[in-house]
Amino acid sequence: MLKRTIINTLEGTKTIQIPEWNETYHSRHGILQEAQHVFISNGLEKINVPVISILEMGFGTGLNALLTLHEALEKSMKISYYTLEKYPLTMDEINQLQYGSILNSEKTEEYYRLLHKAEWGVNTHLCENFSIIKYQTDFKNLKDLPISNINLVYYDAFGARVQPELWEVNIFKSIYDTMTSGGLLTTYSSKGSARRAMQSVGFEVEKLIGPKGKREMVNAWKR
């Protein structure tokens, strides 16, 4: 596994960097503005079904899951959350990130720890409105997992510059096959090769204004 270090963002929050790749888990401009813009405003808020099934490709720091759980509590949304992560964080890294204190909510810190402590491969109900199943596995194994009827996909893999294999047709085909008609995949990347890969498996792709530090992002719909 590659070495990971914790750095400060311009927002004053922390993120994880992989020095060998010069790649970070979140935007150096700030973790909250990016996650809120890409995955909440241009993802979760665009889905209107009684129970939302979400697939996150890349659990990482758990920030997207935490923000989604927060939305579920604030807006009484019912969410079933599935996520894949090959290299989970250590509890020391989780403690250093201090994400539990960023949302001004009494229970956020407790929920952040529970998200990370949830047993792998087990459906864990963190509250009445939110359940999560985490799988410690490679993205290529998605097709072998019991995941289906997904309404929303958070695609939060490392960029194609360092992991181009995560932005290829076979990955997007396996995701497409898990999704319902009308489902949405949202991602921070608008790289041309990734858009073409999405389109080749049937997604209807649209470019949107990106978060701070990125000109564009993508929504991809399964019509």
Side-chain angles (χ1 to χ4, degrees):
M1 188 176 70
L2 296 170
K3 180 183 178 182
R4 300 187 295 222
T5 60
I6 293 178
I7 64 170
N8 292 318
T9 71
L10 296 177
E11 181 184 63
T13 50
K14 299 178 187 295
T15 190
I16 291 179
Q17 180 185 43
I18 299 179
E20 185 174 332
W21 288 349
N22 190 29
E23 185 82 352
T24 56
Y25 277 51
H26 304 288
S27 169
R28 296 171 190 267
H29 291 273
I31 65 169
L32 281 175
Q33 60 86 25
E34 178 189 48
Q36 288 279 5
H37 181 86
V38 176
F39 301 110
I40 304 302
S41 297
N42 286 295
L44 185 59
E45 292 180 4
K46 295 190 175 186
I47 304 298
N48 184 23
V49 295
V51 179
I52 303 175
S53 292
I54 298 175
L55 169 62
E56 180 183 26
M57 301 295 281
F59 183 67
T61 65
L63 177 65
N64 296 331
L66 180 65
L67 294 179
T68 303
L69 172 56
H70 180 74
E71 290 291 307
L73 293 170
E74 290 290 303
K75 300 177 181 177
S76 297
M77 306 168 74
K78 291 191 178 295
I79 294 174
S80 296
Y81 203 94
Y82 305 83
T83 184
L84 278 61
E85 176 59 54
K86 189 174 182 179
Y87 299 111
L89 299 190
T90 66
M91 285 308 298
D92 181 59
E93 289 170 322
I94 293 163
N95 291 334
Q96 289 185 64
L97 288 172
Q98 300 178 326
Y99 286 0
S101 62
I102 62 178
L103 292 178
N104 296 319
S105 170
E106 290 182 6
K107 290 190 174 182
T108 300
E109 189 161 356
E110 176 186 354
Y111 280 130
Y112 185 58
R113 289 182 176 277
L114 290 174
L115 282 167
H116 282 282
K117 289 183 176 180
E119 187 176 348
W120 295 94
V122 175
N123 189 12
T124 303
H125 290 264
L126 296 189
C127 64
E128 183 181 355
N129 290 17
F130 188 96
S131 65
I132 185 169
I133 305 180
K134 303 186 302 183
Y135 293 99
Q136 188 174 352
T137 189
D138 193 282
F139 286 11
K140 67 182 180 182
N141 297 325
L142 172 62
K143 62 184 183 299
D144 301 319
L145 297 175
I147 298 176
S148 60
N149 298 315
I150 295 297
N151 307 112
L152 175 61
V153 177
Y154 296 162
Y155 201 76
D156 203 14
F158 287 124
R161 177 181 63 84
V162 296
Q163 287 196 303
E165 70 276 11
L166 301 185
W167 299 87
E168 295 179 348
V169 171
N170 62 321
I171 296 291
F172 290 117
K173 177 64 166 64
S174 65
I175 293 172
Y176 188 88
D177 289 343
T178 71
M179 297 172 67
T180 62
S181 178
L184 169 65
L185 179 153
T186 185
T187 183
Y188 66 88
S189 176
S190 63
K191 189 175 176 63
S193 57
R195 297 199 314 273
R196 289 189 291 274
M198 294 178 203
Q199 290 168 332
S200 74
V201 304
F203 282 111
E204 182 179 303
V205 177
E206 58 179 335
K207 290 192 290 186
L208 305 171
I209 296 172
K212 187 175 181 180
K214 289 191 67 68
R215 188 164 58 90
E216 296 172 330
M217 58 162 285
V218 158
N219 270 183
W221 295 91
K222 179 176 180 177
R223 299 299 189 186

